[in-house]
Every structure is written in C-alpha cells, then in structure tokens.
Amino acid sequence: MKETVVSGIRPTGKLHLGNYFGAVTNFVKMQYDYNCFFFIADLHSLTTHPTPQDLHGYVKHVLVEYLACGIDPEQSTIYIQSDVPEVAELYLYLNMNAYLGELERSTSFKDKIRSQPNNVNAGLLTYPALMAADILIHRASKVPVGKDQEQHLEMTRTFGNRFNRLYNSEYFVEPFAFNYAKNLVKVPGLDGKGKMSKSEGDGNCIYLSDSPEIIRKKLLRAVTDSGPSVENQTKPEAIQNLFDLMNIVSSPDTIAHYDALYNNVAIRYGDLKKQIAEDMIIFNSPIRERIEELSKDNSYLRKVAEQGAVKARESAQKTMKEVRALIGFKSF
Ligand code: TYM
C-alpha cells in the first residue's frame, strides 16, 4: 500500500517562491508515488480575521496556483479544509490532550504575540492542534513543508503519540516533514534578512504570479552591501541570500560565474540582481500563464473542489469512526 502524504497552505494571499520551493514542488513530485492529500488551510487563516471577500479570493488564488504548479486532481486529492468538518471534530479531541505550557512554547505562537499583540486569540494558541488534526485525519506519514514547520511536525507527533497512549492503541503513525533534498528548505526574502514571507511585505516576496516588470523592480530593490573588500571573503547574510535565490532558479554555470566574481572582488551587484531577475522570469513564466488561464475557469475550479471534498471526507470519515470508537463514543 502507498504511504499517505498530507500538506496544506494558508490562504492569506498569493503563493511565493518560498511556498513553491519549500513545499509545492515536493507535492507535485510526490503525487505519483504516494497517496496524496493537498488542502487549502482556510480554517487556519481565520486566526487573522480576514473579510469574507478576502478569504474567498485567497482560497481561489491557492486553488488556481496549486493547479498551475502541476498538482493533478485526478492523481491526488485537492480540497478546501472547511469542506471537511471532520477536521474540526478531531481538532476538538486533540485540544483535550494539548497542554497550555507546550502550546505557549511554540515558536509560531510567540511570533504571533509579537506581530499581532491586539489579537492573541485561542485559535492562535491551539494552531498546532489544528495542524495535527489536518495530518492525523488521513493518518499521513510524510508532510512536505518548509523548515519553518518543523516544530509543528514535532508537536503533531507528540499529540498523536499521546492519543495512542491514552487510548492504549497504535492508531496514529508518526508523521515527518519531508523534502526530496536532504534538508528542509528555507527560501530567503529580498530584504537581506530572514525568510521570504508575506508578513514581511510584498517587496520581500517574489510571487508566482508576478509579471516580468514587477520581478525586475523587486530585484533592483533587494538589499545588498557595499561589496567585498578582500578576496574569498565570507558572504554576509544579505548577499548569501541573493546567492541562495540564484541557487534555486539559475544554472550551476551561472552560479559559479558570479561566485568567482564575488571571490575575486570583481562583482557588480546590479548585474547579479539582473541575472537573478531574468532567471526568475524564465522560471515563473509558464506557471504565470497557467494561473491566468485557470483563473478564468470557475466551473472547472468548482468541479475540482467538489471532487476533492468528496474524496477527502471519505478518508476523514473512516478515521473519525475509528477515533470515536477508541475514545469510547459507542452506541448502546
Ligand atoms: P504557510 O501557509 O505559512 O506556508 C505554506 C508552505 O510554504 C512553506 N514556506 C516556506 N518554505 C521555505 N522557505 C520559505 N521562505 C517559506 N515560506 C513558506 C511552509 O513551510 C509551508 O510548507 N501551518 C502551515 C499550513 C498548514 C499545514 C497543515 C501544512 C496547516 N495545516 C498540515 C502541512 C500540514 C502554514 O502556515 O504554512
């Protein structure tokens, strides 16, 4: 039997290269060898209180972009999280065994306390239990995600194992974060520090749907420094980040060329940025064209979402029937 894979993306805007290289490209490859479930985590995005219009628009963006990246709805199950109410039920059961101390220690919770101090809601605190429900509901063993999700996977294993111990079973398997490369990926942003992230602003991200003009403009503004002063100098973070971006879109020869220029103190950052921009444009173009086409086809999108909901609910209902029996909800 094929191993099961689950992964999701919060619909908070358009997908960027971090989402693509951290998660989506792995989903696309995995769908031929695994039993794959890919979903749009709209329940998770409620923690930031989107308007109904924004929520609906973002869900459509992610659905279109999943398909444009090559996720095949005949091969895998693509669904919208809120179409599967069993997820909310499992979330409730997992919350009963998730402790305040461990939830408060989660890095993403601490980040949110800092970034949205006026909206520290219970959904943010119990976010890891909802994420565990997403994964455990299909009893998945592999979860293609970027490096920033590693701690959530660890918590998912803790909650699954705790459930097993409590109900004296081996029902849930342990899921692990997955990337075809040896290590999990962290794609840097354009602001010279940290990862590519929507919350750091549009200027920090290259979106899959960005036009060539926008990509060129964003790269021109990417943060650099005054340049190397001695040969073979270690690259500071902002410059290493640009090389890391080059690594994902440019050819090995191009990377070697610019690396040698840096090491010989002959690099011109303007040329480096132009090269990265042109290689990103080549990478993005076919995806961007498919995004434009698919966005117009609402009846196809509706069909994909409906078909995905049926398949995902079938799997989720089977799990919930067994989970309820393990907990002790039985008929007389
Ligand atoms: P989200 O929506 O923030 O990001 C979606 C996916 O993109 C990856 N990612 C990155 N990878 C590398 N470099 C980056 N700069 C970068 N930025 C984002 C994320 O690691 C993620 O894989 N909690 C999740 C969504 C979720 C989920 C799940 C994922 C909900 N339930 C169950 C897997 C399984 C999140 O907020 O991802």
Side-chain angles (χ1 to χ4, degrees), residues 11 25 48 70-71 77-78 82 104 109 117 131 135 167 174 197 205 209 227 269 284 331:
T25 181
T48 55
I71 297 185
T77 302
I78 308 183
S82 60
E104 279 176 336
F109 181 62
M131 190 155 155
I135 298 167
Y167 298 111
E174 286 198 316
S197 164
C205 298
S209 53
Y269 287 144
N284 263 15
S331 52

Side-chain angles (χ1 to χ4, degrees), residues 8 10 18-19 22 39 44 127 131 134 145-146 148-149 185 187 196:
R10 264 174 316 141
N19 300 132
F39 69 96
H44 285 269
Y127 189 104
M131 190 155 155
D134 294 327
V145 282
D148 58 335
Q149 298 297 319
V185 172
V187 176
M196 186 172 285

Side-chain angles (χ1 to χ4, degrees), residues 40-78:
I40 300 166
D42 56 349
L43 298 178
H44 285 269
S45 68
L46 297 183
T47 55
T48 55
H49 303 168
T51 65
Q53 292 86 335
D54 278 353
L55 181 65
H56 184 68
Y58 292 154
V59 168
K60 181 175 170 183
H61 266 306
V62 178
L63 180 58
V64 164
E65 294 182 2
Y66 264 169
L67 296 167
C69 289
I71 297 185
D72 175 356
E74 301 305 322
Q75 194 74 39
S76 11
T77 302
I78 308 183

